[in-house]
Amino acid sequence: MNEKIQNINILLDKLRDFPKNFILAKTVEQAIYYLENYHVKIILLDHDLGEDRNLISTGYGLNKIYLWE
């Protein structure tokens, strides 16, 4: 069993600076890694991550597909 013991906060964004006490995830894949391996207390999601038009590669896509499964 993989226990998640470290509490973290994530900002999923490709362009912005991140607030103190947050870890920056520039891709949905990075955000999923943190969600699967850490106890995430707060996650801030950008609605789009630049030029990629794939819904899954957005903060909205992560929320809809991964967080609300």
Side-chain angles (χ1 to χ4, degrees), residues 14-60:
K14 196 172 189 176
L15 303 174
R16 282 185 262 263
D17 292 331
F18 53 99
K20 186 177 179 179
N21 300 321
F22 277 76
I23 294 174
L24 179 63
K26 290 187 175 185
T27 66
V28 169
E29 292 78 16
Q30 287 177 339
I32 290 172
Y33 169 82
Y34 290 125
L35 287 165
E36 291 179 346
N37 292 287
Y38 295 87
H39 180 260
V40 177
K41 294 181 76 173
I42 300 170
I43 184 167
L44 304 176
L45 303 171
D46 187 13
H47 74 282
D48 66 44
L49 294 172
E51 299 175 10
D52 190 349
R53 300 289 181 214
N54 181 355
L55 176 64
I56 303 304
S57 68
T58 67
Y60 175 77

Side-chain angles (χ1 to χ4, degrees), residues 2 4-7 10 12 23 30 36-37 63-64:
N2 182 13
K4 301 175 185 181
I5 57 173
Q6 185 176 355
N7 294 325
I10 300 171
L12 174 61
I23 294 174
Q30 287 177 339
E36 291 179 346
N37 292 287
N63 184 41
K64 185 174 180 182

